[in-house]
Amino acid sequence: MRPLTDEETRTVFEKLSKYIGENIKLLIDRPDGTYCFRYHRDRIFYVSEEILKKAAHVSRENLMTFGTCFGKFTKSGKFRLHITALDFLAPYAKFKIWVKPSAEQQFLYGHHVMKSGLGRITENTNQYQGVVVYSMNDLPLGFGVAAKSTQECRRADPMTIITFHQADIGEFIRNEEALL
């Protein structure tokens, strides 16, 4: 467990800014205390300073996890967000996509969002912009990358991919099944 290096911090914040923009500072200075990011076993954890102090008393070999895992670094040095970060990204998301009830299950199975399953999209969403995917009941389902801008979505074919799948809340079940 250690603080992030400058390069790691830049990589993590660049990835987070794709989804929440300048709201990253709201993750750090929260009304319920100060939070920080820590590196442990190729994973980035988002943890309160109070829990961080308690975790410091556990040896590195015995410490499995602490706080919330936001993602991990791949062998090539890229940062990949985990679905556990969704609860923290969703309230601050600048760009959102709502999917129809008929398309929710397909997204939760790991498929991309098609135009036929698109309910609504935030205005001025750019192509390749990070988006949080919601159900029509405003339940965050996951996140992805916009394959088309808002203007392109309006005149797209119903079978055109609108959002590339990145992560969804169904991953817990799929990963659990793979472990058995």
Side-chain angles (χ1 to χ4, degrees):
M1 171 177 60
R2 65 169 173 76
L4 277 65
T5 64
D6 290 340
E7 181 66 25
E8 291 166 346
T9 302
R10 187 184 57 75
T11 305
V12 170
F13 282 11
E14 280 178 3
K15 181 66 104 172
L16 290 176
S17 69
K18 283 184 172 182
Y19 295 94
I20 61 176
E22 304 83 37
N23 292 333
I24 294 172
K25 53 187 159 232
L26 297 175
L27 286 177
I28 306 297
D29 296 323
R30 293 177 30 174
D32 58 339
T34 303
Y35 283 69
C36 58
F37 291 97
R38 289 292 185 258
Y39 182 95
H40 183 66
R41 296 185 182 178
D42 292 333
R43 288 177 166 60
I44 302 300
F45 291 92
Y46 179 66
V47 61
S48 70
E49 287 189 348
E50 180 181 327
I51 293 174
L52 184 64
K53 289 177 186 175
K54 292 177 182 177
H57 296 290
V58 178
S59 69
R60 188 175 280 185
E61 300 83 38
N62 294 335
L63 185 64
M64 295 298 294
T65 184
F66 59 99
T68 302
C69 181
F70 255 49
K72 71 176 223 169
F73 279 99
T74 62
K75 300 271 187 224
S76 62
K78 295 179 181 170
F79 181 68
R80 183 176 175 125
L81 276 173
H82 285 185
I83 191 60
T84 49
L86 180 64
D87 290 336
F88 298 97
L89 295 180
Y92 303 118
K94 296 185 93 171
F95 300 99
K96 303 173 185 178
I97 287 183
W98 289 265
V99 293
K100 294 177 181 174
S102 60
E104 282 181 33
Q105 188 172 14
Q106 289 301 313
F107 182 75
L108 295 178
Y109 284 158
H111 299 287
H112 305 307
V113 177
M114 303 292 204
K115 166 72 160 76
S116 60
L118 179 66
R120 295 186 326 221
I121 186 169
T122 307
E123 284 296 319
N124 301 324
T125 301
N126 296 323
Q127 188 176 19
Y128 306 123
Q129 176 68 51
V131 294
V132 175
V133 179
Y134 284 87
S135 69
M136 292 305 279
N137 299 330
D138 285 333
L139 174 72
L141 300 175
F143 45 86
V145 175
K148 303 281 183 195
S149 67
T150 304
Q151 282 68 30
E152 292 173 312
C153 289
R154 290 192 178 111
R155 54 185 179 273
D157 183 71
M159 295 308 293
T160 303
I161 295 174
I162 299 300
T163 303
F164 296 121
H165 178 273
Q166 295 286 314
D168 65 80
I169 57 177
E171 282 184 21
F172 287 119
I173 296 168
R174 290 194 306 272
N175 289 344
E176 182 76 23
E177 191 176 279
L179 295 174
L180 295 176

